[in-house]
Amino acid sequence: MASDPVQELADEPVDHRFKGLPPDAQAAGLTVGQLAAQRRDLHTGGFTTPVLTLDADALEHNLAALGTYAARHDLAFAPHGKTCMSPQLFRRQLEHGAVGITAAVPHQVRVYRAFGIERIFLANELVDPVSLRWIADELASDPDFRFICYVDSVRGVQLMDRALKGHPARIDVVVEVAAGEGARTGARTDDDCRAVADAVAATDTLHLIGVAGYEAEVPDADPARVEAYLRRLTGLAVEFDKAGRFAADLNEIVVSAGGSAWFDAVAEVFAEIPELSRPVLRLLRSGAYVSHDHGWYTRLTPFNRHPEEGGLRPAFRLWTQVVSRPSPTQAFVNAGKRDIAYDLGLPQAEVVRDPLTGEQRPATGVRVVKLSDQHAWLETDSADDVQVGDWVALGMSHPCTIFEKWQLIPVVEADGTVTDFVRTFF
């Protein structure tokens, strides 16, 4: 029977690599799976602070919400794996209808392949010859593996072609259409896109199968500007098809977009794509939905505009502990920049737990005002808001930079029972 690398993650020993786990579990020689099977309480089962947790119910809700949304709108879904870099969550995303996983860099592709991901969309132009040849070898050795990446320049196409010369595998590519002047990557003008497509056609190593882009990079993005960009992208797909620019042996044409802020616009515009010479794979790539957050994406999610379509729940909670209370208006907890995502704003104090009584209450009057490397600075309205030893749960913005700071994350039921652990590979 073939081994399952995802299931084998449960066989890792509990040790010093993983922050917040019970020291007695390491002393007893427990594996991650054995610790999960004990169903310990987060607060009384030996876990130490700071410790990042994922809410089991919120996680399952979010996985189902986007899977349902994509199916309802006839979108194929390849969520961006850079958000969590967790093979366990990739598997659950696939179980909820995803057709593959999106990557940003070659290292992520290698992680995906190590855990059996068969369909990978690399949302970048790939010009590193070592990585290109490794991917070509993977394609040649595994007939079930499908890989797609961006091209956005004639020079990039030339470099890719040079790296792949003589290799039997051809790499599927899509032209990345830039979201406008001053945006991030992508061919800036329609003529640039045509030139890139023609450069691909001149090679025998690359296979043009579609167009793609990232609508969140539209300058001064609003619904009208985003939809205009997406219609430009789909219009190029129609033009390329009519002009015969796509590979002749293609089974489907790929049109892809969609971060976590505008997937409603993607659904609307992609539904307007006319019938082409081959079926169209309308590919959505949202990734931050899996955990959602307590700030940035809470404000940006398209479900705010379309509540009838569903919604997402913040799944993260970072439990910290008050280690100093030098004045009635100031306190310090034992987590800082090494533990907390802060690129999109400071965390929010959500809950205070009294370690003596187990009582939990809203963190009313408690605010995070500054971060040091290993401390968060709290401002409080009164001397009674927190005491030394209290556990303070923080909510944070930006799932991508929350996940990356933690290698093993407890999954917690509503009653505080830890039932699983999510492993990350950044």
Side-chain angles (χ1 to χ4, degrees), residues 288-341:
Y289 81 98
V290 66
S291 64
H292 203 42
D293 70 10
H294 281 89
W296 185 260
Y297 285 105
T298 295
R299 295 188 293 272
L300 291 183
T301 177
F303 287 126
N304 291 340
R305 295 186 287 272
H306 304 282
E308 73 285 357
E309 292 265 26
L312 300 172
R313 301 177 189 168
F316 276 128
R317 185 168 274 177
L318 178 64
W319 285 98
T320 67
Q321 200 161 21
V322 178
V323 293
S324 180
R325 185 68 156 122
S327 79
T329 60
Q330 191 176 42
F332 294 86
V333 294
N334 60 346
K337 294 178 181 178
R338 304 286 175 84
D339 315 293
I340 296 171

Side-chain angles (χ1 to χ4, degrees), residues 125-127 132 149-165 171 173-176 187 192-208:
E125 186 168 67
L126 179 56
V127 294
L132 279 164
C149 74
Y150 282 172
V151 286
D152 81 347
S153 65
V154 172
R155 179 175 172 83
V157 170
Q158 293 169 343
L159 290 169
M160 294 175 75
D161 183 49
R162 178 178 178 180
L164 294 167
K165 279 293 187 188
I171 287 185
V173 297
V174 292
V175 173
E176 184 191 7
D192 290 338
C193 292
R194 297 179 187 110
V196 173
D198 290 343
V200 172
T203 75
D204 56 9
T205 58
L206 306 177
H207 199 226
L208 185 64

Side-chain angles (χ1 to χ4, degrees), residues 66 69-70 75-80 102 215 255-259 262-264 266-267 270 282-286:
L66 255 291
Y69 184 91
L75 297 168
F77 189 30
H80 212 316
T102 297
E215 71 290 338
V255 182
S256 179
W262 295 101
F263 54 74
D264 56 336
V266 173
F270 279 17
R282 298 166 171 84
L283 191 64
L284 181 69
R285 307 190 309 270
S286 309

